[in-house]
């Protein structure tokens, strides 16, 4: 059973951004499954690399929509993106230094918290603005 299941409540009303978020849910579930099978350390490096790629592509996509539509809350939203990127880079650094025993749990909790707080909170705020500008 997955740790987290995508629901329509998580939708931000923009198909491509929803697909990005679904990918993150999938990465979280992949890590959770690996940890349950005792393989957390074996797959963590690949998941971290995927997370780094995800953040770059997804954040750039969101920020492009913000710029195109003059989203008024883009600056604080981008600050959250920057903070998350710093956290991911820090996790990667710790992993590279060999801190893998607890890191799998840390990454899983970090991803789950981010999904709940950012997608269900901050990202929901741009939905009416982007939808009103024709971005769905």
């Amino acid at each position: 059973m997955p740790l987290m299941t995508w629901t329509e409540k998580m939708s931000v009303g923009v198909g491509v951004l929803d697909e990005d978020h679904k990918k993150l849910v999938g990465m979280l579930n992949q890590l959770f499954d690996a940890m349950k099978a005792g393989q957390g350390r074996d797959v963590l490096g690949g998941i971290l690399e995927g997370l780094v790629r995800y953040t770059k592509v997804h954040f750039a996509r969101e920020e492009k929509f913000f710029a195109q539509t003059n989203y008024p809350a883009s600056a604080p939203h981008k600050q959250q993106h920057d903070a998350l990127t710093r956290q991911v880079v820090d996790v990667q650094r710790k992993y590279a230094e060999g801190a893998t025993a607890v890191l799998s749990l840390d990454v899983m909790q970090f991803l789950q918290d981010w999904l709940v707080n950012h997608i269900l909170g901050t990202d929901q705020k741009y939905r009416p603005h982007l939808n009103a500008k024709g971005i769905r």
Side-chain angles (χ1 to χ4, degrees):
M1 187 162 107
L3 177 66
M4 183 173 260
T5 303
W6 174 264
T7 66
E8 279 304 309
K9 181 175 123 176
M10 297 172 82
S11 174
V12 294
V14 179
V16 69
L17 300 180
D18 284 344
E19 289 304 314
D20 286 349
H21 292 155
K22 288 176 187 178
K23 180 176 179 179
L24 185 55
V25 169
M27 291 168 63
L28 176 66
N29 288 329
Q30 179 185 8
L31 178 62
F32 181 67
D33 290 344
M35 288 178 59
K36 286 193 309 187
Q39 302 169 336
R41 284 189 258 187
D42 297 337
V43 300
L44 185 58
I47 292 171
L48 285 173
E49 183 58 37
L51 182 59
V52 168
R53 283 193 308 270
Y54 166 83
T55 57
K56 289 178 183 174
V57 170
H58 173 68
F59 291 166
R61 193 177 345 257
E62 275 190 357
E63 292 167 12
K64 179 181 172 190
F65 288 145
F66 296 166
Q68 287 174 345
T69 64
N70 294 315
Y71 179 53
S74 65
H77 198 111
K78 185 176 181 334
Q79 287 175 343
Q80 286 190 9
H81 287 173
D82 293 344
L84 176 66
T85 301
R86 283 191 301 273
Q87 288 175 297
V88 171
V89 169
D90 186 53
V91 167
Q92 264 196 315
R93 180 188 53 76
K94 289 176 183 174
Y95 177 78
E97 291 172 356
T100 58
V102 179
L103 200 52
S104 295
L105 287 173
D106 289 346
V107 171
M108 186 176 63
Q109 188 61 54
F110 163 71
L111 288 172
Q112 187 176 23
D113 289 348
W114 186 79
L115 280 170
V116 171
N117 296 325
H118 190 79
I119 296 171
L120 292 177
T122 307
D123 281 356
Q124 292 300 321
K125 294 176 184 175
Y126 64 62
R127 180 183 190 144
H129 175 81
L130 294 183
N131 287 175
K133 301 288 186 178
I135 298 175
R136 295 186 182 276

